[in-house]
């Protein structure tokens, strides 16, 4: 029986090649989109699952009350790990202090490369279940040891054995390679951890950490933990809440630090906090794209339903005959489902091909490294289930509709589809276009929002501005280097700072001023800069003056931004005193707000002070009269002259700024691609439907022509129904799209308005696409010879 | 074999009620060849559809093989239909996507017969209908006469007790028409009961009995034997 069904289905496919191509092509595109989104969601949901202890690992974080709001941060005092171990050791398997994953110069002989890595307390290899390719997980016992990732080991030693080899770190200290671990996958939070060194080495390199007067006063390291096997993460998290608060003096207790565990399972998808509460994060994109994927698949299924039912008159006779010779309705339903499954089978095969071809582009757009798991039985099981689901959805309506025909009517030739038979098809077309229009509007709003943020005034000049990491060697020769670069006219000016221009690396509390509420805990981004910083980045002085090398008093001076003035409440800030850790600092200038952090968030109250000892970053304003490549080559040569052991790596500030839009741009690009595909699928269906309508109305068109209708009259006649459907779709889509995008924009403090023209453009676009799609068939039918069309009856 | 008593069928639209069959009663015995005649709209086809279990009567009794089946469900009717009744239509109603062989094979598939057995039966009936040489052709590749032979082959392949023919020669020229009527006569002589709706007095003369309908009622019954 099934063979017979498949045979009929196959011959039907061959007989109606155009229709089959539209059906299979449309479904394949829909399935490919859904599959790509499925792979993306799978990748997102399996983030960090590489680690065997995934369920028990957490990042130790803290909420603190700053400036009247609760802020949440990763940065902890370096002593936090030890304190937790001492007080709550039995609840944990590991509590590990770690440095930030910064870049360091690793040198082996003449080979010097910048690689990112961290210093960790013992246990990290076990906690992260690193797969050791050489050596053991106990490889960090010696202070001067290092574990390399496979790719870093290869970069230095090729196929030679790296074990026991000596590397020089940052031109300062020798370390021995004691192990090599498998590279951490791209979908893990530790993917950039390309080497690990012992925490003890970090302490030895930074003796000031142990010498700190108040080790709880600064948050500059990270803490990771693995709870004990049978421990409840939530309960342990609640237990350690006051571990920091309990050891603080009255001054710092004002910040009310609350320590908590953020489980690894939430790092990637639930990373955002607002006022002390977890408000989700990328999980919204998982939902969003999941819904988009389902809708795109639904659009493709709707095509199948519409084209199948539009052809119902052609299939009616077959249904009648089959029923007359004994087929039950159930058997007919099975037959039509077999047909849809055959189409879905071809579409699935084609979609696999499409996914294979599109995956590199998709990976690049979505910043992923997804591979098609050809050998994974789960993938095939899911693929088959997905195909069955698609077949059931796409085949359900045609199967139920076609099998319901009365044999009496169809066999006698009196069968005509009823007045309302096309209604479900119309509803489905409206649904298709509603989804497409929502996607168009969504895409435009996402782009608008990105553009809005990009156009936000940054308050400084990014042009010809680069930054370089500042190490100890360069630090000791800073003035000589600056002088040489300036003398050779390679740069306009050079400065140093503790935070880069596009990020905040350090904040400080301990500020006091006249009229401050004594219970208010404050914490400001506080960039320690050299005197030329403002000149290099081109900040705009609003009141007062810039720092000056000529005035020694500037070492106890602040320049603050407009937001700081507003927050503190000074009416005439210049000349006023702001006390920091008890010392009086004079406010010498106010600058216009600079956009340093998220382009979507309000600018924080920020301070700048002179700091010549603790700089991390050098900014260089390149001479605009030189070709950038030439200038960069000269800068590199000069840096190498002063620090031959370090490889010269630089970043353009505008590129660093552009990276802030990464997530939104990725969402925008993907939404645009999905919108285009959704429209393509909808148009494919519309095209097929229009051709059937034209075919069905051949006689009517012939008669109308004979009695005097022009091509334009007929084109209007055939197109107006579809245009009406799209107008209805606009009516449904616009409020839904407005509501959805309004909600989406609420997560941004700095957001665009949803302008009326977006809706106008979407309506116009949808209308134009519809008219173009339908016109081809309408005009073809309208210009056909009426004698011919009448004869076909 | 068939006994209908006071059979009624009424078509209703919003404004009009049309009585297609008006308390019609007659009996057809096993092995009979009955022709049903009457002007257009007299209820011939409605009657044939009810006899073929394709349609439900609105009233009255319909006994088929001593079983009252007037109000059987669609699935039950399909079961009886596929085992007992063969159809021959004016417009042949072959499935365009299937070959001659496959069209004839179809009723046997619905009877869940084994493939080897099906092949044997189909070939036997195709030979009998003299279209064996066309077994791999599609309906559109055949002449009208050949198509109707195939339709008859399909109707008889599962040895039905009853064949219902709805103007079987309506789309054929006289020579092909005569051949089809001869085929039906042969089948009847081999024991198959045949009920045929026709407009043609010529074709009706092949039958044993003519039932004439007007406005859904029997107005005359002629025995030709």
């Amino acid at each position: 029986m099934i063979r017979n069904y498949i045979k009929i289905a196959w011959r039907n496919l061959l007989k109606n090649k155009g229709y089959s191509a539209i059906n299979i092509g449309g479904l394949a595109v829909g399935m490919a989109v859904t599959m790509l989104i499925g792979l993306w969601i799978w990748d997102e949901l399996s983030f960090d699952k590489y680690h065997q202890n995934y369920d028990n690992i957490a990042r130790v974080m803290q909420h603190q009350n700053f400036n009247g709001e609760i802020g949440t941060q990763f940065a902890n005092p370096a002593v936090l790990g030890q304190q937790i171990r001492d007080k709550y050791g039995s609840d944990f398997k590991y509590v590990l202090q770690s440095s930030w994953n910064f870049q360091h110069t690793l040198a082996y002989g003449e080979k010097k490369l910048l690689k990112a890595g961290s210093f960790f307390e013992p246990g990290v290899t076990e906690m992260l279940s690193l797969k050791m390719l050489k050596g053991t997980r106990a490889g960090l016992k010696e202070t001067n040891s290092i574990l390399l990732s496979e790719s870093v080991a290869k970069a230095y030693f090729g196929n030679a054995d790296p074990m026991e080899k000596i590397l020089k770190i940052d031109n300062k200290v020798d370390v021995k390679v004691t192990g090599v671990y498998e590279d951490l996958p791209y979908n893990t939070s530790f993917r950039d951890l390309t080497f690990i060194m012992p925490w003890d080495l970090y302490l030895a390199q930074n003796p000031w950490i142990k010498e700190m007067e108040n080790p709880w006063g600064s948050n500059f390291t990270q803490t990771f933990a693995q709870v004990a096997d049978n421990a409840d993460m939530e309960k342990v998290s609640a237990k350690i809440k006051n571990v920091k608060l309990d050891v603080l003096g009255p001054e710092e207790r004002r910040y009310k630090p609350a320590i908590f565990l953020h489980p690894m399972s939430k790092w990637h998808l639930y990373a955002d906090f607002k006022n002390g509460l977890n408000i989700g994060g990328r999980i919204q994109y998982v939902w969003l794209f999941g819904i988009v994927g389902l809708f795109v698949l639904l659009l493709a299924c709707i095509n199948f339903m519409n084209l199948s039912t539009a052809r119902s008159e052609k299939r009616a006779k077959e249904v009648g005959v089959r029923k007359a010779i004994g087929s039950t309705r159930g058997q007919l339903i099975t037959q039509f489902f077999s047909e849809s499954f055959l189409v879905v089978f071809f579409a699935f095969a084609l979609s696999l091909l499409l996914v294979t071809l599109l995956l590199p582009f998709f990976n690049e757009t979505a910043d992923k490294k997804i591979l098609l798991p050809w050998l994974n039985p789960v993938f095939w099981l899911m693929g088959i289930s997905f195909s069955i689901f698609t077949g059931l959805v796409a085949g359900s309506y045609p199967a139920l509709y076609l099998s319901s025909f009365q044999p009496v009517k169809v066999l006698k030739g009196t069968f005509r589809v009823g007045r309302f038979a096309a209604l479900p098809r119309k509803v489905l077309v409206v649904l298709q276009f509603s989804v497409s229009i929502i996607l168009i509007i969504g895409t435009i709003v996402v782009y608008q929002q990105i553009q809005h943020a990009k156009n936000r005034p940054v308050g400084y000049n990014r042009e010809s501005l680069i930054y370089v990491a500042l190490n100890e060697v360069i630090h000791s020769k800073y003035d000589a280097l600056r002088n040489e670069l300036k003398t050779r006219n390679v740069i306009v000016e050079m400065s140093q700072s503790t935070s880069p221009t596009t990020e905040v690396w350090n904040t400080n509390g301990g500020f006091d001023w006249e009229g401050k509420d004594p219970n208010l805990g404050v914490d400001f981004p506080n960039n320690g800069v050299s005197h030329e910083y403002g000149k290099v980045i081109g900040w705009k002085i609003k009141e007062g003056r810039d720092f000056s090398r000529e005035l020694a008093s500037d070492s106890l001076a602040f320049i603050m931004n407009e937001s700081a003035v507003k927050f503190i409440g000074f009416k005439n800030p210049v000349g006023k005193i702001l006390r920091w850790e008890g010392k009086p600092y004079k406010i010498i200038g106010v600058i216009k707000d600079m956009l340093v952090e998220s382009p979507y968030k309000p600018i924080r109250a920020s301070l700048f002070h002179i700091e010549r000892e603790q700089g991390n970053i050098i900014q260089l304003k390149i001479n605009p009269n030189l070709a950038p490549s030439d200038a960069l080559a000269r800068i590199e040569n000069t840096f190498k002259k002063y620090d031959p052991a370090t490889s010269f790596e630089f970043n353009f500030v505008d590129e660093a700024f552009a990276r802030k839009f990464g997530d939104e741009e990725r969402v925008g690009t993907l939404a645009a691609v999905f919108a285009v595909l959704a429209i393509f699928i909808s148009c494919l269906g519309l095209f097929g439907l229009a051709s059937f309508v034209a075919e069905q109305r051949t006689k009517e068109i012939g008669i109308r022509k004979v009695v005097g209708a022009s091509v334009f009259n007929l084109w209007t006649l055939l197109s107006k129904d579809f245009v009406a459907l799209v107008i209805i779709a606009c009516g449904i889509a616009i409020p839904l799209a407005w509501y959805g995008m309004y909600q989406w924009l609420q997560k941004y403090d700095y957001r665009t308005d949803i302008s009326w023209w977006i809706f106008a453009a979407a309506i116009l676009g949808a209308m134009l696409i519809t008219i173009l799609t339908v016109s081809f068939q309408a005009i073809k039918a309208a210009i056909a010879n009426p004698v011919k069309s009448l004869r076909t009856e | 074999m068939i006994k209908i008593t006071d059979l009624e069928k009424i078509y209703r639209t919003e404004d009009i009620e049309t009585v297609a069959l008006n308390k019609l009663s007659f009996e057809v015995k096993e092995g009979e060849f009955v022709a049903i005649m009457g002007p257009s709209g007299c209820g011939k086809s409605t009657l044939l559809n009810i006899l073929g279990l394709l349609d439900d009567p609105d009233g009255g009794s319909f006994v088929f093989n001593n079983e009252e089946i007037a109000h059987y469900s669609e699935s039950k009717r399909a079961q009886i239909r596929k085992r007992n009744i063969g159809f021959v239509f004016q417009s042949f109603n072959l499935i365009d996507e299937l070959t001659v062989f496959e069209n004839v094979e179809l009723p046997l598939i619905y009877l869940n017969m084994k493939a080897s057995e099906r092949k044997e039966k189909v070939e036997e009936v195709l030979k009998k209908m003299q279209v064996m040489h066309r077994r791999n052709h599609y309906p559109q590749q055949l002449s009208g006469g050949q198509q109707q032979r195939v339709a008859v082959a399909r109707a008889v392949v599962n040895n039905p007790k009853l064949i219902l023919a709805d103007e079987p020669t309506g789309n054929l020229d006289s020579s092909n028409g005569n051949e089809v009527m001869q085929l039906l006569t042969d089948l009847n002589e081999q024991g198959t009961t045949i009920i045929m709706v026709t407009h043609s007095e010529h074709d009706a003369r092949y039958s044993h009995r003519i039932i004439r309908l007007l406005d859904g009622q029997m107005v005359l019954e002629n025995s030709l034997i």
Side-chain angles (χ1 to χ4, degrees), chain A residues 103-250:
Chain A
Q103 291 203 319
H104 297 268
T105 303
L106 270 62
Y108 179 69
E110 287 305 302
K111 191 164 227 167
K112 297 179 194 89
L113 300 169
L114 265 181
K115 296 287 173 193
S118 299
F119 296 85
F120 260 100
E121 283 189 298
V124 60
T125 49
E126 294 291 344
M127 185 180 81
L128 297 182
S129 54
L130 298 183
K131 291 180 185 143
M132 300 305 295
L133 305 173
K134 288 194 185 290
T136 66
R137 285 181 179 172
L140 288 175
K141 278 191 175 149
E142 292 173 40
T143 305
N144 287 55
S145 58
I146 186 168
L147 297 180
L148 301 179
S149 70
E150 189 184 359
S151 54
V152 168
K154 251 207 172 97
Y156 283 93
F157 307 107
N159 292 327
D161 187 4
M163 295 296 280
E164 309 284 316
K165 298 276 190 324
I166 305 295
L167 291 171
K168 195 176 262 307
I169 309 296
D170 295 331
N171 205 24
K172 280 195 296 193
V173 57
D174 287 341
V175 289
K176 187 165 74 184
V177 179
T178 52
V180 176
Y181 56 91
E182 184 184 84
D183 283 353
L184 289 163
Y186 201 65
N187 65 345
T188 56
S189 302
F190 290 103
R191 67 187 182 192
D192 294 328
L193 184 70
T194 63
F195 65 85
I196 308 170
M197 290 186 287
W199 177 252
D200 285 346
L201 181 61
Y202 185 65
L203 295 180
Q205 292 293 303
N206 299 282
W208 57 270
I209 297 175
K210 281 191 168 169
E211 292 158 10
M212 286 169 81
E213 268 178 43
N214 175 13
W216 290 98
S218 293
N219 303 301
F220 62 98
T221 60
Q222 302 186 88
T223 320
F224 295 96
Q226 180 183 335
V227 294
D229 286 343
N230 298 321
D232 179 326
M233 176 92 73
E234 236 173 279
K235 282 183 184 159
V236 177
S237 180
K239 215 168 170 181
I240 63 169
K241 184 181 172 194
N242 293 329
V243 67
K244 183 179 172 190
L245 185 75
D246 291 346
V247 293
L248 295 181

Side-chain angles (χ1 to χ4, degrees), chain B residues 102-210:
Chain B
E102 290 159 352
N103 263 292
V104 177
E105 189 191 21
L106 207 51
L108 305 180
I109 292 175
Y110 286 124
L111 285 173
N112 291 326
M113 197 178 275
K114 273 195 225 155
S116 55
E117 215 177 316
R118 287 204 305 260
K119 187 169 180 274
E120 200 179 306
K121 281 213 155 213
V122 173
E123 285 180 352
E124 188 189 318
V125 77
L126 287 178
K127 274 181 203 156
K128 209 157 139 188
M129 298 296 153
Q130 296 170 0
V131 281
M132 184 61 181
H133 61 296
R134 295 291 209 168
R135 68 197 296 271
N136 292 324
H137 287 81
Y138 286 93
Q140 311 91 294
Q141 296 169 308
L142 307 182
S143 70
Q146 285 170 329
Q147 286 192 47
Q148 195 59 303
R149 278 164 193 273
V150 175
V152 174
R154 185 180 63 189
V156 302
V157 71
N158 57 345
N159 296 321
K161 293 190 180 85
L162 172 68
I163 285 183
L164 298 173
D166 192 357
E167 299 188 41
T169 63
N171 282 359
L172 300 176
D173 58 33
S174 62
S175 141
N176 275 315
N178 287 339
E179 274 185 39
V180 167
M181 286 315 299
Q182 195 51 55
L183 277 174
L184 292 175
T185 309
D186 293 347
L187 286 168
N188 177 245
E189 280 168 5
Q190 286 156 27
T192 312
T193 309
I194 295 176
I195 300 176
M196 173 180 73
V197 163
T198 183
H199 279 295
S200 161
E201 291 289 345
H202 170 265
D203 289 354
R205 279 200 287 274
Y206 283 88
S207 68
H208 304 155
R209 184 156 58 110
I210 302 174

Side-chain angles (χ1 to χ4, degrees), chain A residues 21-42:
Chain A
I22 288 177
N23 240 345
I24 295 173
L27 257 187
V29 171
M31 289 177 91
V33 169
T34 312
M35 222 184 285
L36 282 173
I37 292 178
L39 286 169
W40 182 84
I41 290 177
W42 180 256

Side-chain angles (χ1 to χ4, degrees), chain A residues 242-273:
Chain A
N242 293 329
V243 67
K244 183 179 172 190
L245 185 75
D246 291 346
V247 293
L248 295 181
E251 167 67 18
E252 281 151 340
R253 286 176 76 91
R254 285 188 303 184
Y255 302 122
K256 297 176 193 147
I259 303 292
F260 69 99
L261 297 176
H262 189 45
M264 186 178 238
S265 55
K266 290 192 165 182
W267 290 0
H268 184 63
L269 296 176
Y270 299 86
D272 297 347
F273 290 86

